[in-house]
Amino acid sequence: MNPIANSVFISGSISIKTLPSQVISSIETMIDKNMTILVGDAPGIDSLVQDLCNKKNYLNVIVYTITSTPRYKANYQFQEKSIFVEQEIKSQRERQTYKDKAMSEESVFSLVVWDGLSKGSYANIIRALKSDKLVKVYYQEINDYIESKKVTIDEIDYIFREKNGYTALEVIAYLQDNGIEKYKRSQDLNKFLLTQNLLTKEGKIYQPTEKKPELFIIEKYRGKPSGVKFNNNFIDWIENNSLSSQSQQASFDF
């Protein structure tokens, strides 16, 4: 499907409760240029964008939904579009991604208001970049837009992983993609980290030791430690360690 001319898909993290002034200014510029604004029907950024457009009596807005009518529509004169999702797909998170994918495909530009944590917003940025679409990212942690030259797949992935971390299987997949085949299962990686005194195990729960705690993100459930994930510092450390190990091993292959 061809994108809607002069259109922008606006999305963002549900954790962000107010529109930053820079984003308001951007939307006002869109209104001045009579751009078609594509937006979802969720709480958070979706409803905030709708409310702003409604306040300014700007009606060139299309509200996307996966139900017969939007969960939220600030003005009855806004257009709406329902995206079909197979009933076999039960996960609400997965169902909602169909709406985001449709808006990504049908827009020319994207604007994402991101907390660095939201997986949905992360996916919207990556999807736009992979489609060679122009995307502008407001990053909550810096209270500003990320420089356009830094809005790359690598940079966005780095921010996302710094906040969310990698699972053991994701670390192994990353290493294998880079030619390091030392670890086959998560147990292999965890066992190695235990022998290096980087992790300790209490019952079934892994926790960082005091040796290099900066390599890990501690996961919690109801306020109590429930395991670990691995951050970007860990990726650098394990990659260097594994390459060094492979190099040493290769020196004995004669």
Side-chain angles (χ1 to χ4, degrees):
M1 180 178 292
N2 292 326
I4 299 167
N6 198 33
S7 61
V8 56
F9 166 32
I10 305 177
S11 64
S13 307
I14 199 169
S15 67
I16 299 175
K17 305 302 183 184
T18 58
L19 286 178
S21 59
Q22 298 96 320
V23 174
I24 292 174
S25 179
S26 293
I27 295 173
E28 289 174 341
T29 299
M30 296 171 197
I31 292 173
D32 290 341
K33 293 183 177 181
N34 194 33
M35 297 182 73
T36 301
I37 294 175
L38 314 186
V39 66
D41 61 346
I45 295 300
D46 289 358
S47 59
L48 291 170
V49 169
Q50 289 192 42
D51 288 344
L52 178 63
C53 292
N54 183 47
K55 181 180 178 181
K56 293 184 174 294
N57 198 32
Y58 186 70
L59 303 178
N60 192 8
V61 176
I62 307 175
V63 180
Y64 282 63
T65 181
I66 61 167
T67 54
S68 56
T69 57
R71 293 172 292 177
Y72 184 77
K73 193 166 104 169
N75 189 309
Y76 76 95
Q77 294 185 75
F78 289 166
Q79 298 177 63
E80 58 185 67
K81 183 167 184 177
S82 182
I83 302 301
F84 174 76
V85 182
E86 296 284 353
Q87 289 299 317
E88 288 76 13
I89 301 171
K90 301 301 182 184
S91 165
Q92 187 63 18
R93 181 185 291 273
E94 186 178 353
R95 292 176 67 83
Q96 292 296 338
T97 62
Y98 279 76
K99 167 171 57 67
D100 287 347
K101 287 176 182 176
M103 287 187 281
S104 292
E105 291 172 359
E106 295 174 18
S107 60
V108 178
F109 308 100
S110 282
L111 189 156
V112 183
V113 187
W114 193 32
D115 61 4
L117 282 164
S118 166
K119 188 174 183 178
S121 297
Y122 163 78
N124 288 339
I125 301 167
I126 297 298
R127 192 181 300 116
L129 290 170
K130 286 184 175 180
S131 300
D132 292 325
K133 295 193 177 186
L134 294 174
V135 56
K136 197 169 184 178
V137 180
Y138 178 92
Y139 182 29
Q140 187 181 41
E141 187 164 298
I142 63 173
N143 297 316
D144 204 349
Y145 286 107
I146 299 174
E147 291 181 62
S148 57
K149 66 181 181 181
K150 292 184 177 179
V151 182
T152 64
I153 290 175
D154 286 346
E155 183 71 19
I156 296 302
D157 193 59
Y158 184 92
I159 292 171
F160 179 75
R161 293 300 183 179
E162 193 65 18
K163 296 284 188 180
N164 291 274
Y166 297 78
T167 65
L169 287 176
E170 287 172 334
V171 171
I172 292 168
Y174 174 89
L175 293 174
Q176 289 177 346
D177 286 344
N178 286 275
I180 299 171
E181 303 286 342
K182 182 176 179 179
Y183 313 99
K184 304 298 183 185
R185 306 171 303 160
S186 58
Q187 294 94 321
D188 299 334
L189 177 62
N190 290 331
K191 183 178 179 180
F192 171 72
L193 297 175
L194 287 170
T195 63
Q196 297 295 304
N197 194 32
L198 293 176
L199 288 183
T200 183
K201 189 176 183 183
E202 299 179 11
K204 295 183 178 180
I205 299 175
Y206 291 97
Q207 287 293 288
T209 66
E210 295 181 356
K211 188 175 179 179
K212 284 186 177 292
E214 69 275 9
L215 302 181
F216 305 95
I217 296 173
I218 300 174
E219 293 191 291
K220 292 186 178 181
Y221 178 72
R222 293 183 176 178
K224 295 182 179 180
S226 59
V228 295
K229 281 189 174 180
F230 309 93
N231 64 22
N232 291 317
N233 289 331
F234 178 84
I235 291 294
D236 291 340
W237 181 87
I238 192 69
E239 193 168 20
N240 290 334
N241 183 279
S242 298
L243 286 170
S244 173
S245 175
Q246 285 192 172
S247 179
Q248 291 174 11
Q249 179 63 36
S251 68
F252 289 99
D253 293 336
F254 53 82

